[in-house]
Amino acid sequence: MTNGLYGHENTDYFFVAHDKMKEYLMSKNIPETKVFATGIPISSRFLKEYNKKEILNEFELQENKKTILFFGGGEFGLGKTKTIQIFEDLAKNFDNIQVIAIAGKNPKMKIAFEEIVLNYNKQNSIKVLEYTNKVPELMCISDLVVSKPGGLTTSESLASGLPMVIINPIPGQEEENAEFLQSKNIGIWIRKHYSSYEILDSLLSNPDKLEQMKINTKLLAKKYSTDDICKIILYN
């Protein structure tokens, strides 16, 4: 019995999200020459320059308000109660913000969001969407992301220079992602018994804190991960 990773002898390269994961694989006796902390491949659309004013106009949003991109859906609606409570905190307690809420393939979540928007008369400042293929554009106009810390969403947020408020991580890799992002002062994890209002207020009322988190994203982002992976495969 060895401490290695089963079957690694038959694998030429391991591409991982960051150096901590590289160190983990090396601790499992994977040779350093096989492991590359390239980041997760993301679409080249996240490298494009967008006209922010046009996108804000398209979604009937204002230029002078902080914009929060809220990923609240998911096909299975994991953590639905906590997600709705956090969304309601935003609608109820913060006036000088605007929110784009993406319910994804979860019609019940969309209905719940729309009811909250109606109850607090926030139709002008909160837009509720189903599935959208405009995530790069929406991240371009946003100041903060509220989301589960899945690998792809996290990578896209970092590439877009967006701090994260982390909700409902699945035990295992997503919880490890949440802890890692928090340790790097890029994300704040709203744990089960934490006050979402206090956490949101600590960010939205403190521009310096939010700006420092934004700066930190640039230190960790792997914007060119797809190109880097292709080059390693082709030229090594």
Side-chain angles (χ1 to χ4, degrees):
M1 194 78 171
T2 67
N3 194 35
L5 192 69
Y6 180 77
H8 73 83
E9 301 89 348
N10 301 316
T11 303
D12 295 313
Y13 304 118
F14 294 84
F15 299 106
V16 298
H18 47 71
D19 287 327
K20 185 178 179 182
M21 293 183 70
K22 178 176 180 176
E23 291 168 6
Y24 171 77
L25 288 184
M26 289 168 58
S27 75
K28 297 298 182 182
N29 298 324
I30 309 299
E32 183 175 4
T33 53
K34 283 188 172 187
V35 187
F36 300 87
T38 54
I40 293 173
I42 60 174
S43 169
S44 60
R45 290 174 60 204
F46 287 91
L47 305 178
K48 290 179 63 176
E49 295 287 334
Y50 294 98
N51 186 315
K52 293 186 179 183
K53 187 172 183 179
E54 286 183 3
I55 299 167
L56 288 165
N57 288 340
E58 179 182 349
F59 289 93
E60 300 179 325
L61 297 169
Q62 299 178 38
E63 291 186 70
N64 61 343
K65 287 188 174 183
K66 280 190 172 61
T67 303
I68 298 172
L69 184 57
F70 192 110
F71 289 98
E75 192 168 359
F76 303 106
L78 297 173
K80 178 184 175 183
T81 301
K82 185 69 172 176
T83 300
I84 292 173
Q85 180 244 307
I86 294 167
F87 182 80
E88 185 167 10
D89 274 343
L90 285 169
K92 178 182 179 181
N93 298 306
F94 300 95
D95 290 327
N96 197 33
I97 64 167
Q98 50 199 6
V99 180
I100 305 159
I102 300 177
K105 299 176 181 179
N106 190 331
K108 290 182 179 178
M109 189 72 77
K110 182 174 183 287
I111 291 168
F113 285 171
E114 289 173 338
E115 287 177 352
I116 290 169
V117 171
L118 192 62
N119 287 343
Y120 292 99
N121 195 28
K122 290 294 181 77
Q123 294 92 330
N124 290 332
S125 58
I126 301 180
K127 310 298 177 180
V128 179
L129 308 177
E130 296 178 317
Y131 172 82
T132 177
N133 62 358
K134 292 196 171 184
V135 171
E137 291 88 340
L138 294 175
M139 284 192 173
C140 166
I141 61 171
S142 298
D143 299 286
L144 180 69
V145 169
V146 179
S147 176
K148 288 165 56 66
L152 187 58
T153 300
T154 297
S155 298
E156 292 169 348
S157 299
L158 292 176
S160 301
L162 295 177
M164 294 182 68
V165 170
I166 300 161
I167 59 174
N168 306 326
I170 297 171
Q173 186 59 58
E174 286 194 355
E175 285 193 348
E176 290 180 17
N177 290 347
E179 289 171 353
F180 179 75
L181 292 167
Q182 192 156 265
S183 73
K184 298 296 183 181
N185 193 27
I186 290 169
I188 298 180
W189 178 2
I190 301 181
R191 295 176 185 262
K192 187 174 182 180
H193 300 296
Y194 283 22
S195 165
S196 55
Y197 167 73
E198 289 180 6
I199 289 174
L200 291 166
D201 186 56
S202 74
L203 282 175
L204 297 173
S205 65
N206 190 339
D208 291 340
K209 182 175 183 178
L210 197 60
E211 182 60 28
Q212 185 57 57
M213 292 174 72
K214 188 177 180 70
I215 291 169
N216 293 343
T217 66
K218 299 183 187 302
L219 303 177
L220 205 64
K222 306 282 189 182
K223 296 180 69 169
Y224 303 100
S225 53
T226 305
D227 284 350
D228 291 340
I229 290 170
C230 291
K231 287 174 183 174
I232 290 167
I233 292 172
L234 289 172
Y235 301 121
N236 272 27

Short mmCIF file of all heavy atoms in Angstrom, two decimals, residues 6 8 15 51 73 85 91 199 231:
data_model
loop_
_atom_site.label_atom_id
_atom_site.label_comp_id
_atom_site.label_asym_id
_atom_site.label_seq_id
_atom_site.Cartn_x
_atom_site.Cartn_y
_atom_site.Cartn_z
N TYR A 6 -4.07 6.72 -6.92
CA TYR A 6 -4.25 5.52 -7.74
C TYR A 6 -4.25 5.87 -9.22
O TYR A 6 -4.98 6.75 -9.67
CB TYR A 6 -5.54 4.81 -7.36
CG TYR A 6 -5.80 3.56 -8.17
CD1 TYR A 6 -5.09 2.38 -7.89
CD2 TYR A 6 -6.70 3.56 -9.22
CE1 TYR A 6 -5.32 1.24 -8.63
CE2 TYR A 6 -6.93 2.43 -9.97
CZ TYR A 6 -6.22 1.26 -9.67
OH TYR A 6 -6.43 0.14 -10.43
N HIS A 8 -1.90 7.20 -11.09
CA HIS A 8 -1.20 8.41 -11.57
C HIS A 8 -0.07 8.08 -12.54
O HIS A 8 0.33 8.91 -13.34
CB HIS A 8 -0.67 9.22 -10.39
CG HIS A 8 0.53 8.62 -9.71
ND1 HIS A 8 1.81 8.78 -10.18
CD2 HIS A 8 0.62 7.86 -8.58
CE1 HIS A 8 2.65 8.15 -9.36
NE2 HIS A 8 1.94 7.58 -8.39
N PHE A 15 -3.58 19.24 -14.20
CA PHE A 15 -3.79 20.68 -14.21
C PHE A 15 -4.73 21.03 -13.07
O PHE A 15 -5.86 20.51 -13.02
CB PHE A 15 -4.37 21.13 -15.56
CG PHE A 15 -3.47 20.81 -16.72
CD1 PHE A 15 -3.77 19.77 -17.58
CD2 PHE A 15 -2.31 21.54 -16.93
CE1 PHE A 15 -2.93 19.46 -18.65
CE2 PHE A 15 -1.46 21.25 -18.00
CZ PHE A 15 -1.77 20.20 -18.85
N ASN A 51 -18.44 47.08 -23.15
CA ASN A 51 -18.95 48.43 -22.91
C ASN A 51 -19.92 48.36 -21.74
O ASN A 51 -21.07 47.92 -21.88
CB ASN A 51 -19.66 48.96 -24.17
CG ASN A 51 -20.08 50.41 -24.03
OD1 ASN A 51 -20.62 50.81 -23.00
ND2 ASN A 51 -19.84 51.20 -25.07
N GLY A 73 -29.59 29.89 -8.09
CA GLY A 73 -30.36 28.77 -8.61
C GLY A 73 -29.68 27.43 -8.41
O GLY A 73 -29.36 27.01 -7.32
N GLN A 85 -33.13 33.60 2.22
CA GLN A 85 -32.97 34.52 3.34
C GLN A 85 -31.89 35.57 3.04
O GLN A 85 -32.08 36.76 3.34
CB GLN A 85 -32.59 33.73 4.60
CG GLN A 85 -32.39 34.60 5.83
CD GLN A 85 -30.97 34.55 6.34
OE1 GLN A 85 -30.43 33.47 6.58
NE2 GLN A 85 -30.35 35.70 6.49
N ALA A 91 -32.57 42.66 -0.43
CA ALA A 91 -33.72 43.44 -0.87
C ALA A 91 -34.26 44.35 0.23
O ALA A 91 -34.65 45.50 -0.02
CB ALA A 91 -34.82 42.50 -1.36
N ILE A 199 -22.59 40.37 7.53
CA ILE A 199 -21.51 40.14 6.57
C ILE A 199 -21.67 41.03 5.35
O ILE A 199 -20.71 41.67 4.89
CB ILE A 199 -21.45 38.65 6.18
CG1 ILE A 199 -20.94 37.82 7.36
CG2 ILE A 199 -20.57 38.44 4.95
CD1 ILE A 199 -20.97 36.33 7.15
N LYS A 231 -0.65 25.10 -24.27
CA LYS A 231 0.78 25.23 -24.56
C LYS A 231 1.59 24.13 -23.89
O LYS A 231 2.52 23.58 -24.49
CB LYS A 231 1.27 26.60 -24.09
CG LYS A 231 0.81 27.76 -24.97
CD LYS A 231 1.21 29.10 -24.37
CE LYS A 231 0.68 30.25 -25.22
NZ LYS A 231 0.94 31.57 -24.58
#
